Short mmCIF file of all heavy atoms in Angstrom, two decimals:
data_model
loop_
_atom_site.label_atom_id
_atom_site.label_comp_id
_atom_site.label_asym_id
_atom_site.label_seq_id
_atom_site.Cartn_x
_atom_site.Cartn_y
_atom_site.Cartn_z
N MET U 289 91.27 277.98 207.13
CA MET U 289 90.44 277.54 206.07
C MET U 289 90.69 278.53 204.93
O MET U 289 90.52 279.63 205.12
CB MET U 289 89.01 277.45 206.49
CG MET U 289 88.02 277.10 205.52
SD MET U 289 86.25 277.03 206.12
CE MET U 289 85.39 276.09 204.89
N PHE U 290 90.84 277.93 203.74
CA PHE U 290 90.83 278.75 202.53
C PHE U 290 89.56 278.51 201.75
O PHE U 290 89.18 277.49 201.58
CB PHE U 290 92.09 278.37 201.67
CG PHE U 290 93.39 278.42 202.44
CD1 PHE U 290 94.18 277.18 202.58
CD2 PHE U 290 93.93 279.49 202.84
CE1 PHE U 290 95.39 277.20 203.37
CE2 PHE U 290 95.11 279.56 203.57
CZ PHE U 290 95.79 278.46 203.72
N ALA U 291 88.99 279.65 201.37
CA ALA U 291 87.72 279.56 200.55
C ALA U 291 87.66 280.57 199.38
O ALA U 291 88.01 281.65 199.55
CB ALA U 291 86.55 279.87 201.51
N GLY U 292 87.40 280.00 198.32
CA GLY U 292 87.16 280.79 197.04
C GLY U 292 85.73 281.49 197.28
O GLY U 292 84.72 280.78 197.48
N GLU U 293 85.69 282.70 197.03
CA GLU U 293 84.39 283.49 197.16
C GLU U 293 83.36 283.13 196.10
O GLU U 293 82.27 283.39 196.24
CB GLU U 293 84.58 284.95 197.17
CG GLU U 293 85.31 285.22 198.51
CD GLU U 293 85.52 286.79 198.77
OE1 GLU U 293 84.90 287.58 197.97
OE2 GLU U 293 86.20 287.24 199.71
N LEU U 294 83.87 282.47 194.97
CA LEU U 294 82.94 282.03 193.97
C LEU U 294 82.54 280.63 193.87
O LEU U 294 81.97 280.10 193.01
CB LEU U 294 83.52 282.36 192.56
CG LEU U 294 83.82 283.95 192.24
CD1 LEU U 294 84.37 284.06 190.88
CD2 LEU U 294 82.50 284.63 192.35
N ASP U 295 82.95 279.87 194.94
CA ASP U 295 82.87 278.44 195.08
C ASP U 295 81.39 278.15 195.36
O ASP U 295 80.75 278.57 196.35
CB ASP U 295 83.76 277.92 196.17
CG ASP U 295 83.82 276.40 196.26
OD1 ASP U 295 82.92 275.80 195.69
OD2 ASP U 295 84.75 275.91 196.98
N HIS U 296 80.86 277.34 194.42
CA HIS U 296 79.51 276.88 194.65
C HIS U 296 79.38 275.33 194.39
O HIS U 296 78.28 274.81 194.12
CB HIS U 296 78.50 277.52 193.70
CG HIS U 296 78.32 279.01 193.96
ND1 HIS U 296 79.01 279.98 193.49
CD2 HIS U 296 77.37 279.51 194.87
CE1 HIS U 296 78.63 281.23 194.04
NE2 HIS U 296 77.63 281.04 194.82
N TYR U 297 80.57 274.74 194.50
CA TYR U 297 80.55 273.27 194.22
C TYR U 297 79.64 272.53 195.08
O TYR U 297 79.81 272.42 196.35
CB TYR U 297 82.04 272.74 194.50
CG TYR U 297 82.27 271.36 194.12
CD1 TYR U 297 82.13 270.86 192.82
CD2 TYR U 297 82.43 270.38 195.23
CE1 TYR U 297 82.41 269.45 192.57
CE2 TYR U 297 82.70 269.13 194.92
CZ TYR U 297 82.58 268.58 193.61
OH TYR U 297 82.78 267.35 193.29
N ARG U 298 78.57 271.96 194.53
CA ARG U 298 77.69 271.14 195.23
C ARG U 298 77.11 271.79 196.38
O ARG U 298 76.60 271.12 197.46
CB ARG U 298 78.23 269.74 195.59
CG ARG U 298 78.66 268.87 194.44
CD ARG U 298 79.05 267.55 194.86
NE ARG U 298 79.42 266.74 193.67
CZ ARG U 298 79.92 265.55 193.67
NH1 ARG U 298 79.98 264.95 194.90
NH2 ARG U 298 80.15 264.95 192.50
N ASN U 299 77.16 273.07 196.51
CA ASN U 299 76.65 273.92 197.63
C ASN U 299 77.23 273.58 198.95
O ASN U 299 76.58 273.78 200.02
CB ASN U 299 75.03 273.88 197.66
CG ASN U 299 74.52 274.62 196.56
OD1 ASN U 299 74.98 275.66 196.21
ND2 ASN U 299 73.33 274.24 195.99
N CYS U 300 78.40 272.95 198.94
CA CYS U 300 78.97 272.41 200.18
C CYS U 300 80.12 273.49 200.63
O CYS U 300 80.39 273.39 201.86
CB CYS U 300 79.61 271.09 200.07
SG CYS U 300 81.20 271.04 199.17
N CYS U 301 80.64 274.29 199.68
CA CYS U 301 81.79 275.14 200.08
C CYS U 301 81.51 276.53 199.95
O CYS U 301 82.38 277.30 199.50
CB CYS U 301 82.96 274.69 199.20
SG CYS U 301 83.39 272.91 199.41
N LEU U 302 80.24 276.86 200.19
CA LEU U 302 79.87 278.31 200.11
C LEU U 302 80.68 279.23 200.99
O LEU U 302 80.82 278.93 202.20
CB LEU U 302 78.42 278.51 200.18
CG LEU U 302 77.65 277.59 199.33
CD1 LEU U 302 76.00 277.71 199.77
CD2 LEU U 302 77.69 278.01 197.89
N VAL U 303 81.03 280.40 200.53
CA VAL U 303 81.94 281.40 201.44
C VAL U 303 80.96 281.84 202.62
O VAL U 303 81.60 281.97 203.69
CB VAL U 303 82.42 282.59 200.57
CG1 VAL U 303 81.41 283.51 200.16
CG2 VAL U 303 83.57 283.20 201.32
N ASP U 304 79.72 281.91 202.37
CA ASP U 304 78.90 282.28 203.56
C ASP U 304 78.85 281.14 204.56
O ASP U 304 78.87 281.49 205.92
CB ASP U 304 77.44 282.49 203.12
CG ASP U 304 77.30 283.74 202.35
OD1 ASP U 304 78.25 284.71 202.47
OD2 ASP U 304 76.25 283.99 201.66
N THR U 305 78.97 279.87 204.27
CA THR U 305 79.15 278.85 205.22
C THR U 305 80.38 278.89 205.98
O THR U 305 80.46 278.75 207.05
CB THR U 305 78.91 277.48 204.43
OG1 THR U 305 77.69 277.41 203.81
CG2 THR U 305 78.95 276.36 205.46
N ALA U 306 81.46 279.15 205.21
CA ALA U 306 82.84 279.27 205.80
C ALA U 306 82.77 280.48 206.76
O ALA U 306 83.46 280.36 207.95
CB ALA U 306 83.81 279.60 204.74
N ARG U 307 82.23 281.60 206.43
CA ARG U 307 82.04 282.74 207.42
C ARG U 307 81.28 282.40 208.53
O ARG U 307 81.58 282.69 209.71
CB ARG U 307 81.52 283.95 206.66
CG ARG U 307 82.44 284.47 205.60
CD ARG U 307 81.93 285.70 204.89
NE ARG U 307 82.94 286.22 204.08
CZ ARG U 307 82.77 286.60 202.75
NH1 ARG U 307 81.49 286.46 202.28
NH2 ARG U 307 83.72 287.13 202.08
N ALA U 308 80.16 281.65 208.46
CA ALA U 308 79.47 281.12 209.68
C ALA U 308 80.32 280.23 210.55
O ALA U 308 80.13 280.40 211.80
CB ALA U 308 78.22 280.49 209.09
N ILE U 309 81.05 279.36 209.94
CA ILE U 309 81.97 278.58 210.81
C ILE U 309 82.96 279.36 211.52
O ILE U 309 83.11 279.16 212.68
CB ILE U 309 82.62 277.40 209.86
CG1 ILE U 309 81.63 276.42 209.27
CG2 ILE U 309 83.76 276.70 210.60
CD1 ILE U 309 82.20 275.60 208.08
N ALA U 310 83.54 280.34 210.82
CA ALA U 310 84.49 281.26 211.48
C ALA U 310 83.79 281.92 212.67
O ALA U 310 84.39 282.06 213.68
CB ALA U 310 85.10 282.16 210.47
N ALA U 311 82.63 282.49 212.41
CA ALA U 311 81.93 283.28 213.46
C ALA U 311 81.60 282.28 214.69
O ALA U 311 81.64 282.78 215.76
CB ALA U 311 80.69 283.78 212.82
N ALA U 312 81.18 280.97 214.35
CA ALA U 312 80.85 280.18 215.51
C ALA U 312 82.24 279.87 216.26
O ALA U 312 82.04 279.77 217.51
CB ALA U 312 80.20 278.86 214.94
N ALA U 313 83.28 279.59 215.57
CA ALA U 313 84.51 279.32 216.19
C ALA U 313 84.87 280.52 217.06
O ALA U 313 85.31 280.33 218.24
CB ALA U 313 85.59 278.97 215.26
N SER U 314 84.71 281.68 216.63
CA SER U 314 85.13 282.98 217.31
C SER U 314 84.29 283.08 218.58
O SER U 314 84.73 283.40 219.70
CB SER U 314 85.00 284.15 216.45
OG SER U 314 85.32 285.31 217.15
N ALA U 315 82.95 282.81 218.46
CA ALA U 315 82.02 282.98 219.56
C ALA U 315 82.30 281.91 220.76
O ALA U 315 82.15 282.26 221.87
CB ALA U 315 80.53 282.69 219.09
N GLN U 316 83.09 280.86 220.35
CA GLN U 316 83.41 279.79 221.35
C GLN U 316 84.93 280.01 221.78
O GLN U 316 85.41 279.24 222.61
CB GLN U 316 83.24 278.42 220.72
CG GLN U 316 81.85 278.07 220.54
CD GLN U 316 81.03 278.02 221.72
OE1 GLN U 316 81.45 277.42 222.72
NE2 GLN U 316 79.86 278.71 221.70
N GLY U 317 85.54 281.05 221.21
CA GLY U 317 86.99 281.26 221.54
C GLY U 317 87.93 280.26 221.01
O GLY U 317 89.03 280.04 221.40
N ALA U 318 87.41 279.53 220.01
CA ALA U 318 88.22 278.46 219.37
C ALA U 318 89.13 279.12 218.28
O ALA U 318 88.73 280.02 217.49
CB ALA U 318 87.26 277.49 218.74
N PRO U 319 90.37 278.61 218.16
CA PRO U 319 91.23 279.14 217.15
C PRO U 319 90.75 278.72 215.66
O PRO U 319 90.42 277.54 215.46
CB PRO U 319 92.59 278.53 217.45
CG PRO U 319 92.34 277.28 218.20
CD PRO U 319 90.95 277.57 218.95
N PHE U 320 90.58 279.66 214.88
CA PHE U 320 90.18 279.38 213.57
C PHE U 320 90.47 280.63 212.62
O PHE U 320 90.18 281.70 212.97
CB PHE U 320 88.60 279.16 213.49
CG PHE U 320 88.08 278.74 212.13
CD1 PHE U 320 87.91 277.37 211.90
CD2 PHE U 320 87.69 279.64 211.15
CE1 PHE U 320 87.45 276.97 210.62
CE2 PHE U 320 87.18 279.28 209.98
CZ PHE U 320 87.11 277.91 209.66
N GLU U 321 91.03 280.36 211.53
CA GLU U 321 91.48 281.39 210.59
C GLU U 321 90.87 281.23 209.20
O GLU U 321 90.98 280.03 208.70
CB GLU U 321 93.05 281.49 210.41
CG GLU U 321 93.41 282.66 209.65
CD GLU U 321 94.93 282.81 209.57
OE1 GLU U 321 95.66 282.11 210.31
OE2 GLU U 321 95.42 283.68 208.64
N LEU U 322 90.08 282.17 208.67
CA LEU U 322 89.48 281.97 207.39
C LEU U 322 90.10 282.97 206.54
O LEU U 322 90.30 284.20 206.84
CB LEU U 322 87.95 282.30 207.58
CG LEU U 322 87.28 282.41 206.24
CD1 LEU U 322 87.27 281.04 205.53
CD2 LEU U 322 85.81 282.92 206.43
N VAL U 323 90.57 282.49 205.41
CA VAL U 323 91.10 283.34 204.28
C VAL U 323 90.25 283.13 203.15
O VAL U 323 90.15 281.96 202.61
CB VAL U 323 92.61 283.02 204.03
CG1 VAL U 323 93.18 283.85 202.92
CG2 VAL U 323 93.46 283.08 205.26
N THR U 324 89.71 284.21 202.57
CA THR U 324 88.90 284.05 201.35
C THR U 324 89.57 284.83 200.30
O THR U 324 90.38 285.74 200.35
CB THR U 324 87.54 284.77 201.58
OG1 THR U 324 87.65 286.14 201.72
CG2 THR U 324 86.82 284.17 202.68
N TYR U 325 89.36 284.30 199.05
CA TYR U 325 89.97 284.75 197.85
C TYR U 325 88.84 285.06 196.83
O TYR U 325 87.97 284.37 196.38
CB TYR U 325 90.71 283.60 197.14
CG TYR U 325 91.95 283.23 198.06
CD1 TYR U 325 91.84 282.06 198.71
CD2 TYR U 325 93.00 284.06 198.10
CE1 TYR U 325 93.02 281.64 199.58
CE2 TYR U 325 94.13 283.71 199.04
CZ TYR U 325 94.05 282.46 199.74
OH TYR U 325 95.09 282.17 200.52
N PRO U 326 88.72 286.52 196.65
CA PRO U 326 87.71 287.01 195.63
C PRO U 326 87.97 286.44 194.23
O PRO U 326 89.18 286.06 193.96
CB PRO U 326 87.90 288.38 195.67
CG PRO U 326 88.96 288.80 196.52
CD PRO U 326 89.51 287.54 197.08
N ASP U 327 86.91 286.21 193.33
CA ASP U 327 87.09 285.82 192.08
C ASP U 327 87.72 284.48 191.90
O ASP U 327 88.47 284.19 190.94
CB ASP U 327 87.80 286.77 191.14
CG ASP U 327 87.07 288.13 191.01
OD1 ASP U 327 85.90 288.27 191.11
OD2 ASP U 327 87.88 289.17 191.19
N THR U 328 87.47 283.69 192.94
CA THR U 328 88.14 282.29 192.97
C THR U 328 87.06 281.19 193.23
O THR U 328 86.26 281.37 194.06
CB THR U 328 89.23 282.31 194.04
OG1 THR U 328 90.10 283.32 193.88
CG2 THR U 328 89.99 281.04 194.19
N ASP U 329 87.20 280.13 192.40
CA ASP U 329 86.28 279.07 192.62
C ASP U 329 86.82 277.87 193.31
O ASP U 329 87.93 277.88 193.81
CB ASP U 329 85.96 278.59 191.08
CG ASP U 329 84.56 278.03 190.92
OD1 ASP U 329 84.06 277.47 191.93
OD2 ASP U 329 83.96 278.07 189.79
N HIS U 330 86.02 276.82 193.29
CA HIS U 330 86.43 275.49 193.99
C HIS U 330 87.68 274.93 193.20
O HIS U 330 87.83 275.15 192.04
CB HIS U 330 85.35 274.56 193.94
CG HIS U 330 85.48 273.36 194.74
ND1 HIS U 330 85.24 273.35 196.13
CD2 HIS U 330 85.94 272.02 194.43
CE1 HIS U 330 85.48 272.20 196.64
NE2 HIS U 330 85.79 271.34 195.65
N ASP U 331 88.54 274.22 193.91
CA ASP U 331 89.70 273.55 193.31
C ASP U 331 90.71 274.58 192.77
O ASP U 331 91.32 274.26 191.79
CB ASP U 331 89.35 272.46 192.34
CG ASP U 331 88.78 271.15 192.99
OD1 ASP U 331 88.98 271.03 194.15
OD2 ASP U 331 88.08 270.51 192.30
N PHE U 332 90.89 275.62 193.33
CA PHE U 332 91.66 276.67 192.64
C PHE U 332 93.20 276.48 192.70
O PHE U 332 93.87 277.04 191.93
CB PHE U 332 91.40 278.10 193.39
CG PHE U 332 91.86 278.16 194.81
CD1 PHE U 332 93.10 278.51 195.23
CD2 PHE U 332 90.87 277.90 195.84
CE1 PHE U 332 93.48 278.58 196.52
CE2 PHE U 332 91.26 278.09 197.08
CZ PHE U 332 92.54 278.31 197.52
N ILE U 333 93.66 275.36 193.39
CA ILE U 333 95.06 275.09 193.54
C ILE U 333 95.41 274.01 192.42
O ILE U 333 96.61 273.77 192.25
CB ILE U 333 95.48 274.58 194.91
CG1 ILE U 333 94.80 273.18 195.29
CG2 ILE U 333 95.19 275.56 195.88
CD1 ILE U 333 95.43 272.58 196.47
N PHE U 334 94.46 273.47 191.75
CA PHE U 334 94.77 272.36 190.76
C PHE U 334 94.65 272.92 189.29
O PHE U 334 93.87 273.71 189.04
CB PHE U 334 93.72 271.12 190.80
CG PHE U 334 93.90 270.45 192.17
CD1 PHE U 334 92.85 270.72 193.02
CD2 PHE U 334 94.92 269.66 192.47
CE1 PHE U 334 92.87 270.02 194.34
CE2 PHE U 334 95.02 269.11 193.81
CZ PHE U 334 94.00 269.30 194.61
N PRO U 335 95.61 272.51 188.46
CA PRO U 335 95.64 273.04 187.14
C PRO U 335 94.36 272.68 186.39
O PRO U 335 93.77 271.60 186.55
CB PRO U 335 96.77 272.23 186.40
CG PRO U 335 97.63 271.87 187.50
CD PRO U 335 96.78 271.68 188.72
N GLY U 336 93.77 273.73 185.72
CA GLY U 336 92.48 273.46 185.03
C GLY U 336 91.78 274.76 185.02
O GLY U 336 92.35 275.87 185.27
N ARG U 337 90.50 274.67 184.75
CA ARG U 337 89.64 275.87 184.54
C ARG U 337 89.59 276.82 185.72
O ARG U 337 89.52 278.07 185.58
CB ARG U 337 88.23 275.28 184.06
CG ARG U 337 87.37 276.43 183.63
CD ARG U 337 85.92 275.85 183.13
NE ARG U 337 85.30 275.01 184.21
CZ ARG U 337 84.47 275.47 185.23
NH1 ARG U 337 84.19 276.79 185.35
NH2 ARG U 337 83.92 274.50 186.04
N GLN U 338 89.53 276.20 186.92
CA GLN U 338 89.40 277.05 188.02
C GLN U 338 90.65 277.55 188.65
O GLN U 338 90.78 278.31 189.73
CB GLN U 338 88.61 276.39 189.17
CG GLN U 338 87.13 276.18 188.84
CD GLN U 338 86.75 274.78 188.75
OE1 GLN U 338 87.31 274.04 187.83
NE2 GLN U 338 85.92 274.23 189.45
N TYR U 339 91.90 277.06 188.12
CA TYR U 339 93.12 277.40 188.74
C TYR U 339 93.33 278.96 188.80
O TYR U 339 93.03 279.78 187.90
CB TYR U 339 94.24 276.96 187.85
CG TYR U 339 95.63 277.18 188.41
CD1 TYR U 339 96.12 276.51 189.43
CD2 TYR U 339 96.49 278.11 187.72
CE1 TYR U 339 97.36 276.83 190.01
CE2 TYR U 339 97.75 278.40 188.31
CZ TYR U 339 98.14 277.76 189.39
OH TYR U 339 99.42 277.93 189.87
N ASN U 340 93.77 279.38 190.02
CA ASN U 340 94.07 280.79 190.30
C ASN U 340 95.50 280.76 190.95
O ASN U 340 95.65 280.43 192.07
CB ASN U 340 93.03 281.26 191.34
CG ASN U 340 93.21 282.78 191.63
OD1 ASN U 340 94.34 283.17 191.82
ND2 ASN U 340 92.12 283.57 191.61
N ALA U 341 96.45 281.34 190.07
CA ALA U 341 97.88 281.25 190.55
C ALA U 341 98.10 282.10 191.88
O ALA U 341 98.91 281.75 192.69
CB ALA U 341 98.73 281.73 189.34
N ALA U 342 97.52 283.29 191.89
CA ALA U 342 97.73 284.12 192.97
C ALA U 342 97.14 283.49 194.33
O ALA U 342 97.84 283.45 195.29
CB ALA U 342 97.10 285.55 192.76
N ALA U 343 96.04 283.03 194.23
CA ALA U 343 95.44 282.44 195.50
C ALA U 343 96.09 281.11 195.87
O ALA U 343 96.38 280.84 197.01
CB ALA U 343 93.91 282.10 195.18
N THR U 344 96.53 280.29 194.81
CA THR U 344 97.34 279.10 195.13
C THR U 344 98.67 279.47 195.79
O THR U 344 99.00 278.98 196.85
CB THR U 344 97.72 278.32 193.77
OG1 THR U 344 96.49 277.85 193.24
CG2 THR U 344 98.59 277.11 194.06
N SER U 345 99.41 280.48 195.35
CA SER U 345 100.58 280.85 195.88
C SER U 345 100.44 281.37 197.29
O SER U 345 101.18 280.91 198.25
CB SER U 345 101.44 281.94 195.05
OG SER U 345 102.56 282.44 195.69
N ASP U 346 99.35 282.19 197.53
CA ASP U 346 99.12 282.81 198.81
C ASP U 346 98.79 281.71 199.82
O ASP U 346 99.26 281.59 200.96
CB ASP U 346 98.08 283.82 198.75
CG ASP U 346 97.77 284.43 200.16
OD1 ASP U 346 98.65 285.27 200.66
OD2 ASP U 346 96.71 284.12 200.80
N SER U 347 97.93 280.69 199.47
CA SER U 347 97.43 279.61 200.30
C SER U 347 98.55 278.70 200.76
O SER U 347 98.64 278.37 201.84
CB SER U 347 96.19 278.90 199.73
OG SER U 347 96.71 278.16 198.50
N TRP U 348 99.47 278.36 199.70
CA TRP U 348 100.63 277.59 200.13
C TRP U 348 101.49 278.33 201.08
O TRP U 348 102.11 277.71 201.89
CB TRP U 348 101.32 277.02 198.90
CG TRP U 348 100.66 275.93 198.28
CD1 TRP U 348 100.02 275.88 196.95
CD2 TRP U 348 100.45 274.60 198.79
NE1 TRP U 348 99.50 274.63 196.81
CE2 TRP U 348 99.77 273.80 197.77
CE3 TRP U 348 100.81 273.97 200.00
CZ2 TRP U 348 99.43 272.48 198.01
CZ3 TRP U 348 100.48 272.64 200.14
CH2 TRP U 348 99.74 271.88 199.19
N GLN U 349 101.81 279.56 200.81
CA GLN U 349 102.72 280.25 201.78
C GLN U 349 102.04 280.30 203.20
O GLN U 349 102.83 280.13 204.19
CB GLN U 349 102.86 281.69 201.22
CG GLN U 349 103.76 281.76 200.08
CD GLN U 349 103.97 283.24 199.46
OE1 GLN U 349 103.36 284.10 200.00
NE2 GLN U 349 104.71 283.29 198.42
N ARG U 350 100.74 280.61 203.27
CA ARG U 350 100.09 280.70 204.56
C ARG U 350 100.10 279.28 205.28
O ARG U 350 100.34 279.10 206.48
CB ARG U 350 98.71 281.12 204.43
CG ARG U 350 98.61 282.54 204.06
CD ARG U 350 97.11 282.89 203.80
NE ARG U 350 96.95 284.28 203.46
CZ ARG U 350 96.54 285.27 204.21
NH1 ARG U 350 96.57 285.04 205.52
NH2 ARG U 350 96.55 286.47 203.74
N ALA U 351 99.92 278.18 204.46
CA ALA U 351 99.88 276.90 205.04
C ALA U 351 101.33 276.48 205.49
O ALA U 351 101.47 275.99 206.63
CB ALA U 351 99.43 275.79 203.99
N ARG U 352 102.39 276.77 204.72
CA ARG U 352 103.72 276.48 205.19
C ARG U 352 104.10 277.33 206.42
O ARG U 352 104.76 276.75 207.39
CB ARG U 352 104.74 276.77 204.06
CG ARG U 352 104.75 275.72 203.04
CD ARG U 352 105.99 275.97 202.07
NE ARG U 352 105.83 277.17 201.28
CZ ARG U 352 105.26 277.33 200.12
NH1 ARG U 352 104.68 276.29 199.57
NH2 ARG U 352 105.33 278.46 199.49
N ALA U 353 103.73 278.50 206.57
CA ALA U 353 104.04 279.34 207.63
C ALA U 353 103.34 278.75 208.93
O ALA U 353 103.90 278.78 210.01
CB ALA U 353 103.57 280.83 207.45
N LYS U 354 102.03 278.38 208.79
CA LYS U 354 101.28 277.86 209.91
C LYS U 354 101.93 276.63 210.34
O LYS U 354 102.05 276.31 211.67
CB LYS U 354 99.80 277.80 209.54
CG LYS U 354 98.94 277.47 210.70
CD LYS U 354 98.92 278.59 211.79
CE LYS U 354 98.18 279.81 211.36
NZ LYS U 354 98.17 280.79 212.44
N LEU U 355 102.24 275.68 209.47
CA LEU U 355 102.87 274.50 209.80
C LEU U 355 104.28 274.69 210.51
O LEU U 355 104.50 274.08 211.56
CB LEU U 355 103.14 273.58 208.54
CG LEU U 355 101.83 272.83 208.09
CD1 LEU U 355 102.11 272.31 206.73
CD2 LEU U 355 101.31 271.85 208.97
N ALA U 356 105.01 275.61 209.91
CA ALA U 356 106.36 275.95 210.63
C ALA U 356 106.16 276.47 211.98
O ALA U 356 106.87 276.16 212.92
CB ALA U 356 107.04 276.98 209.74
N GLN U 357 105.12 277.20 212.18
CA GLN U 357 104.84 277.72 213.62
C GLN U 357 104.58 276.63 214.57
O GLN U 357 105.03 276.81 215.64
CB GLN U 357 103.53 278.67 213.42
CG GLN U 357 103.16 279.35 214.79
CD GLN U 357 101.85 280.10 214.68
OE1 GLN U 357 101.39 280.48 213.53
NE2 GLN U 357 101.15 280.44 215.78
N TYR U 358 103.93 275.64 214.14
CA TYR U 358 103.57 274.56 215.10
C TYR U 358 104.38 273.41 215.10
O TYR U 358 104.49 272.71 216.12
CB TYR U 358 102.09 274.07 214.86
CG TYR U 358 101.04 275.11 215.29
CD1 TYR U 358 100.37 275.93 214.40
CD2 TYR U 358 100.77 275.34 216.58
CE1 TYR U 358 99.56 276.95 214.73
CE2 TYR U 358 99.80 276.46 216.99
CZ TYR U 358 99.31 277.17 216.02
OH TYR U 358 98.39 277.98 216.42
N LEU U 359 105.15 273.15 214.04
CA LEU U 359 106.07 272.06 213.92
C LEU U 359 107.52 272.32 214.23
O LEU U 359 108.37 271.49 214.55
CB LEU U 359 105.92 271.43 212.54
CG LEU U 359 104.55 270.88 212.24
CD1 LEU U 359 104.57 270.40 210.76
CD2 LEU U 359 104.12 269.86 213.27
N ASP U 360 107.98 273.67 214.19
CA ASP U 360 109.34 273.96 214.40
C ASP U 360 109.47 274.64 215.87
O ASP U 360 110.07 275.77 215.97
CB ASP U 360 109.79 275.06 213.40
CG ASP U 360 109.93 274.40 211.99
OD1 ASP U 360 110.04 273.24 211.92
OD2 ASP U 360 110.00 275.19 211.02
N HIS U 361 109.03 274.03 216.84
CA HIS U 361 109.12 274.52 218.20
C HIS U 361 110.46 275.07 218.37
O HIS U 361 111.06 275.48 219.19
CB HIS U 361 108.82 273.34 219.20
CG HIS U 361 107.51 272.88 218.92
ND1 HIS U 361 106.26 273.40 219.60
CD2 HIS U 361 106.96 271.78 218.24
CE1 HIS U 361 105.27 272.72 219.16
NE2 HIS U 361 105.73 271.70 218.40
#
């Protein structure tokens, strides 16, 4: 899960909520990876006011690596 630490969009994507989900998954032994981006808001991958080039690049690299890990047996 990728989360912007400044995300307050409709109070649904708060970083504290993401951290609680990660903690709950960890407590159950479920695989879950949380990556947070400081100074980053909601929709950071789309061109516009919230766009964050560094977070976008990092999140796409991580997503591609994870997909390759599971799809390129």
Side-chain angles (χ1 to χ4, degrees):
M289 176 180 197
F290 305 115
E293 292 185 7
L294 298 180
D295 191 341
H296 291 91
Y297 181 73
R298 296 184 179 180
N299 287 325
C300 77
C301 305
L302 305 173
V303 72
D304 288 340
T305 303
R307 289 181 176 133
I309 292 168
S314 178
Q316 295 297 312
F320 188 89
E321 184 177 351
L322 172 63
V323 178
T324 66
Y325 298 100
D327 301 319
T328 303
D329 207 338
H330 191 81
D331 284 343
F332 64 86
I333 66 168
F334 297 109
R337 186 175 55 88
Q338 290 118 297
Y339 181 72
N340 181 314
T344 297
S345 178
D346 182 74
S347 64
W348 280 115
Q349 287 176 2
R350 288 174 184 267
R352 280 191 299 270
K354 194 58 77 172
L355 286 169
Q357 177 183 347
Y358 288 100
L359 299 177
D360 290 344
H361 300 272

